[in-house]
């Protein structure tokens, strides 16, 4: 079958094929009720039939393809407003199996190259969607999300999720970035692909979750986001070895963290291996923030140097590509879509740091840095404390990383953070509108970026990106 694909001779229409097409046109025309309409319809049908044959075979008898320069399906085509409108007309609750357009996705998480889950906006609420083909097609998952997440404002962008398989996942939600919240643990787990959820009733607020297989960690504490504190706070580690069915708040990360406070940011967890991890926070407690590490599965924690300093001391986001390779983005005050930022790099697990890039000075993508050895980190867009760490920074290796700041372009570096440039295939995608979205990778080359109202984009080589779905 499909032998013509291997035939060196191009297919060509013969007289018999042409007669068949014209005969079919005549039969359609003959069905008209009046002679006048018959003649007019017959002529139109003949022309239509000839055009169909020419379109199928192309000029010179060769198979016709898309117009030269037109994007392939799913590769940069404009979002289809009709799909989003049809999805919004679906009654609530959304039935299982309902097609979900990629333009409704507010964030995605993948357990591998194929299986993924996403939160999607529907009539001002959130629903869970899943995919089994790498993000090309999405369907609503049966059952409802926890009410605290489902009814959350989609513009807050506070709900996060992680899945380690097609069935096991974690969902947590904190207070909106930069706003005061309640210290009431909000973490749910599922073992049936999101059809049902079990709540972990932590004694404190749940800040962040990191799972490797069935081994899951959650950072909990009483450091309230958005509140100025001079009395300090504490952070503790909760762990689960069975995919979130049972949790144990087994040890202190920091039992008492005090100092001159200022408005706080999220506390973030970055796991390098099943036993080695880092916890970072800035803007609450000590002015320089907090960086802790463990190498024994969270039993004991050691304080590490925290390089964030004014004017980059309001928030911090941490990502790792290995045990000792750390990327730390320190955020300052944000205004008018821009924010002062600094990127620090460590190759020894946080014992020492170097400034790789910052947002100061008049330098930009095409101009030299203001000082030797320090590159330019785009001022456009917001990071910590205005966004969660998992949603904006992805690190593949000591040289390669991507940054998707809220209201900013997706930018990348291949030289360790000294030089950042917009991702070519995403420059015209519209991913700088500030709607909820996120950036995520499952390997050094396979990743996705989503934004509500824009859609979902995918790369399998870390270089070329294409749009998925509708």
């Amino acid at each position: 079958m499909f032998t013509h694909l291997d035939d060196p001779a191009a297919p060509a229409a013969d007289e018999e094929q042409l007669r068949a097409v014209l005969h079919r046109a005549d039969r359609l025309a003959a069905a008209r009720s009046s002679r006048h309409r018959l003649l007019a319809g017959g002529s139109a049908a003949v022309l239509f039939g000839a055009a169909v044959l020419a379109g199928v075979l192309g000029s010179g008898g060769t198979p016709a393809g898309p117009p030269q320069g037109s994007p392939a399906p799913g590769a940069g085509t404009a979002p289809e407003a009709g799909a989003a409108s049809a999805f919004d007309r679906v009654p609530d609750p959304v039935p299982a199996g309902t097609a979900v357009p990629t333009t409704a996705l507010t964030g995605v998480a993948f357990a591998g190259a194929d299986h993924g889950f996403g939160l999607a906006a529907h009539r001002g609420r959130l629903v869970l969607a899943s995919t089994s083909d790498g993000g090309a097609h999405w369907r609503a998952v049966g059952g409802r999300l926890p009410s605290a997440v489902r009814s959350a404002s989609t513009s807050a962008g506070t709900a996060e999720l992680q899945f380690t398989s097609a069935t096991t996942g974690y969902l947590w939600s904190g207070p909106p970035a930069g706003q005061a919240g309640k210290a009431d643990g909000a973490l749910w787990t599922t073992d049936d692909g999101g059809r049902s959820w079990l709540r972990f009733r932590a004694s404190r607020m749940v800040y962040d979750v990191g799972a490797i297989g069935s081994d899951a960690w959650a950072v909990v504490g009483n450091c309230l986001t958005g509140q100025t504190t001079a009395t300090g706070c504490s952070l503790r580690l909760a762990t689960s070895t069975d995919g979130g069915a049972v949790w144990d708040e087994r040890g202190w990360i920091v039992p008492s963290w005090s100092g001159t406070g200022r408005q706080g940011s999220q506390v973030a967890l970055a796991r390098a291996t099943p036993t080695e991890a880092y916890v970072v926070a800035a803007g609450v407690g000590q002015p320089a923030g907090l960086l802790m590490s463990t190498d024994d599965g969270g039993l004991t924690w050691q304080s590490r140097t925290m390089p964030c300093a004014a004017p980059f001391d309001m928030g911090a986001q941490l990502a790792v590509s290995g045990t000792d390779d750390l990327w730390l983005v320190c955020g300052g005050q944000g205004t008018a879509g821009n924010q002062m930022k600094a990127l620090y790099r460590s190759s020894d697990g946080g014992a020492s740091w170097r400034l790789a890039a910052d947002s100061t000075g008049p330098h930009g993508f095409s101009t030299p840095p203001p000082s030797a050895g320090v590159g330019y980190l785009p001022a456009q867009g917001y990071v910590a404390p205005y966004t969660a760490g998992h949603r904006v920074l992805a690190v593949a290796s000591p040289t390669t990383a991507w940054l998707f700041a809220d209201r900013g372009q997706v930018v990348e570096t291949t030289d360790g953070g000294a030089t950042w440039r917009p991702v070519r295939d995403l420059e015209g995608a519209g991913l700088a509108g500030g709607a909820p979205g996120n950036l995520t990778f499952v390997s050094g080359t396979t990743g996705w970026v989503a934004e509500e109202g824009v859609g979902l984009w995918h790369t399998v080589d870390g270089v070329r990106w294409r749009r998925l779905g509708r």
Side-chain angles (χ1 to χ4, degrees):
M1 123 179 253
F2 303 123
T3 53
H4 68 276
L5 296 178
D6 302 317
D7 191 345
D14 55 26
E15 293 183 2
E16 183 178 354
Q17 289 175 312
L18 183 58
R19 282 196 302 271
V21 170
L22 296 178
H23 178 65
R24 171 65 174 161
D26 288 337
R27 289 182 61 190
L28 293 173
R32 304 289 183 177
S33 59
S34 70
R35 181 172 182 80
H36 176 75
R37 294 177 62 188
L38 170 73
L39 294 173
S43 300
V46 168
L47 294 174
F48 174 76
V52 169
L53 181 62
V56 170
L57 297 178
S59 61
T62 59
Q68 187 173 2
S70 297
T77 56
E80 297 184 15
S85 177
F87 181 58
D88 278 340
R89 289 196 297 269
V90 174
D92 187 47
V94 178
T98 300
V100 176
T102 57
T103 51
L105 296 172
T106 67
V108 297
F110 281 78
D114 298 320
H115 291 285
F117 294 81
L119 296 174
H122 176 260
R123 296 186 173 186
R125 298 178 181 270
L126 293 175
V127 299
L128 184 68
S130 67
T131 179
S132 59
D133 58 8
H137 301 88
W138 294 81
R139 299 285 177 181
V141 176
R144 292 193 178 192
L145 289 169
S147 59
V149 173
R150 178 175 174 270
S151 61
S153 170
T154 59
S155 63
T158 58
E160 295 192 72
L161 72 167
Q162 180 184 1
F163 276 78
T164 56
S165 72
T167 57
T168 303
Y170 308 85
L171 176 66
W172 64 103
S173 178
Q179 298 180 23
K182 298 179 180 179
D184 57 349
L187 168 62
W188 298 266
T189 61
T190 181
D191 61 2
D192 57 9
R195 290 188 293 274
S196 63
W197 295 89
L198 176 67
R199 179 167 180 169
F200 163 49
R201 296 189 177 277
S203 60
R204 299 166 177 80
M205 180 187 296
V206 177
Y207 291 103
D208 204 0
V209 178
I212 300 176
S214 60
D215 179 37
W217 293 13
V219 179
V220 300
N222 63 351
C223 306
L224 298 186
T225 300
Q227 291 189 355
T228 300
T229 175
T231 59
C233 54
S234 62
L235 298 174
R236 194 166 185 168
L237 181 69
T239 62
S240 174
T241 59
D242 55 9
V246 178
W247 292 85
D248 175 27
E249 291 188 36
R250 69 185 200 182
W252 293 104
I253 298 172
V254 53
S256 180
W257 178 23
S258 61
T260 303
R262 59 183 303 173
Q263 289 199 342
S265 67
Q266 291 85 1
V267 178
L269 167 69
R271 296 187 68 182
T273 71
T275 59
E276 297 166 292
Y278 299 87
V279 169
V280 64
V284 290
Q286 298 171 354
L290 179 79
L291 178 62
M292 306 293 291
S293 69
T294 181
D295 58 7
D296 58 8
L299 294 176
T300 61
W301 294 82
Q302 299 78 41
S303 178
R304 295 290 185 177
T305 302
M306 180 64 165
C308 297
F312 314 110
D313 57 347
M314 288 189 63
Q317 293 173 333
L318 179 69
V320 300
S321 70
T323 303
D324 296 319
D325 180 47
L326 277 60
W327 298 59
L328 183 66
V329 175
C330 305
Q333 181 65 52
T335 180
N338 295 308
Q339 181 190 18
M340 301 288 283
K341 313 177 191 72
L343 170 67
Y344 289 90
R345 295 291 315 281
S346 175
S347 59
D348 54 15
S352 62
W353 296 87
R354 64 176 178 85
L355 178 62
D358 64 33
S359 301
T360 61
H363 52 302
F365 289 124
S366 60
T367 56
S371 58
V374 178
Y376 175 69
L377 191 62
Q380 182 188 24
Y382 301 140
V383 294
Y386 308 106
T387 61
H390 295 290
R391 307 175 72 84
V392 299
L393 180 63
V395 174
S397 72
T399 60
T400 305
W402 295 265
L403 179 68
F404 180 31
D406 183 23
R407 301 190 188 182
Q409 301 180 67
V410 181
V411 294
E412 63 184 349
T413 180
T414 56
D415 60 4
T419 304
W420 294 85
R421 59 182 177 275
V423 174
R424 181 188 58 191
D425 292 342
L426 300 178
E427 283 189 86
L431 293 167
N438 75 314
L439 173 72
T440 184
F441 276 75
V442 296
S443 73
T445 57
T446 302
W448 297 261
V449 61
E451 183 171 310
E452 182 186 353
V454 179
L456 180 69
W457 294 73
H458 179 42
T459 181
V460 295
D461 60 8
V463 177
R464 293 164 294 185
W465 295 74
R466 69 186 184 95
R467 188 173 180 271
L468 298 177
R470 298 178 298 169

